[in-house]
Amino acid sequence: DTEVTQTPKHLVMGMTNKKSLKCEQHMGHRAMYWYKQKAKKPPELMFVYSYEKLSINESVPSRFSPECPNSSLLNLHLHALQPEDSALYLCASSQVQGGSYEQYFGPGTRLTVT
Amino acid sequence: GNSVTQMEGPVTLSEEAFLTINCTYTATGYPSLFWYVQYPGEGLQLLLKATKADDKGSNKGFEATYRKETTSFHLEKGSVQVSDSAVYFCALAYNDMRFGAGTRLTVKP
């Protein structure tokens, strides 16, 4: 099974709301990723977790707060977002971080900030 | 640094036409190479991969060969279908993952 699941599929939130995106994988992967994808663009890396520890933060604004409660779960907490944060948020996992391993992606959460 | 360059799109083909999407890469070591496909409203799906020179990845009628001498990994399919309409991303992995800009393919009946 190479499935990564994400919830919710769609999310509309106001600029003062707090919401969370969730991601789950059961492949035993020890690296998990958050990407942001704008229309007609490739995914942009936001965060990497390796063995449940934050390994990379690509200078993402603090209104995005990642969390990795265990090796299968990854959350992205959202607070005080801006309209320009509207995008498709993708979660991915790989066997480990680095090396030449493929990443498996979830279906994404389509976020609209109003 | 490592990078991937894909042919500009969009590409529009008639059903049963031959498809080629060009991809070249720059890497300091020996990366693995991938093609991902993204259907409208969905995430990226791994289409095929190759991990060393001269490897051929294949899946669902798509093929790509890892050419070290030309640093290329072109995607081909002999006969496209309407259902192949999607965005295709070439990617390489060597310590991190780098994506090409993506090529939008539209197949018309």
Side-chain angles (χ1 to χ4, degrees):
Chain A
D1 183 11
T2 57
E3 187 179 27
V4 176
T5 59
Q6 289 187 245
T7 56
K9 190 167 177 62
H10 300 277
L11 179 63
V12 179
M13 59 186 291
M15 289 190 283
T16 58
N17 291 159
K18 286 185 180 181
K19 296 287 185 183
S20 296
L21 310 185
K22 297 184 184 302
C23 173
E24 189 166 6
Q25 57 88 14
H26 293 286
M27 294 178 276
H29 289 175
R30 304 315 301 269
M32 296 186 76
Y33 310 81
W34 280 116
Y35 287 88
K36 174 182 178 179
Q37 187 181 26
K38 300 286 264 186
K40 301 185 179 182
K41 297 290 187 182
E44 298 174 33
L45 183 64
M46 299 175 70
F47 302 103
V48 180
Y49 272 83
S50 177
Y51 290 88
E52 298 143 62
K53 294 191 185 311
L54 183 64
S55 172
I56 294 176
N57 176 343
E58 291 284 0
S59 303
V60 179
S62 60
R63 57 185 183 268
F64 295 90
S65 175
E67 177 195 22
C68 189
N70 61 53
S71 60
S72 300
L73 293 174
L74 187 66
N75 299 323
L76 186 63
H77 303 298
L78 313 173
H79 173 55
L81 294 192
Q82 303 298 309
E84 60 264 28
D85 297 321
S86 298
L88 181 67
Y89 288 84
L90 295 166
C91 173
S93 70
S94 65
Q95 192 168 340
V96 292
Q97 183 187 352
S100 302
Y101 296 100
E102 62 268 33
Q103 293 181 16
Y104 294 92
F105 285 80
T109 294
R110 175 72 58 186
L111 174 67
T112 303
V113 181
T114 60
Chain B
N2 299 336
S3 65
V4 176
T5 302
Q6 264 181 263
M7 66 182 284
E8 294 284 333
V11 174
T12 302
L13 296 173
S14 297
E15 208 165 23
E16 299 184 5
F18 185 86
L19 169 71
T20 300
I21 301 178
N22 289 338
C23 172
T24 57
Y25 68 90
T26 302
T28 52
Y30 300 96
S32 292
L33 301 173
F34 310 97
W35 278 100
Y36 284 88
V37 58
Q38 186 173 32
Y39 299 101
E42 298 186 12
L44 275 69
Q45 297 178 24
L46 180 63
L47 181 59
L48 53 84
K49 69 178 184 181
T51 59
K52 61 182 186 299
D54 300 325
D55 266 2
K56 177 185 282 188
S58 61
N59 186 25
K60 300 181 182 179
F62 291 90
E63 293 183 341
T65 301
Y66 190 140
R67 301 283 188 200
K68 188 168 179 289
E69 63 276 13
T70 54
T71 60
S72 65
F73 192 55
H74 305 320
L75 182 68
E76 297 181 336
K77 186 175 185 183
S79 176
V80 293
Q81 305 300 311
V82 172
S83 57
D84 294 326
S85 298
V87 179
Y88 292 81
F89 292 97
C90 185
L92 72 80
Y94 186 75
N95 293 325
D96 62 5
M97 180 77 79
R98 298 295 171 110
F99 292 94
T103 302
R104 180 174 299 276
L105 170 66
T106 301
V107 180
K108 297 191 172 181

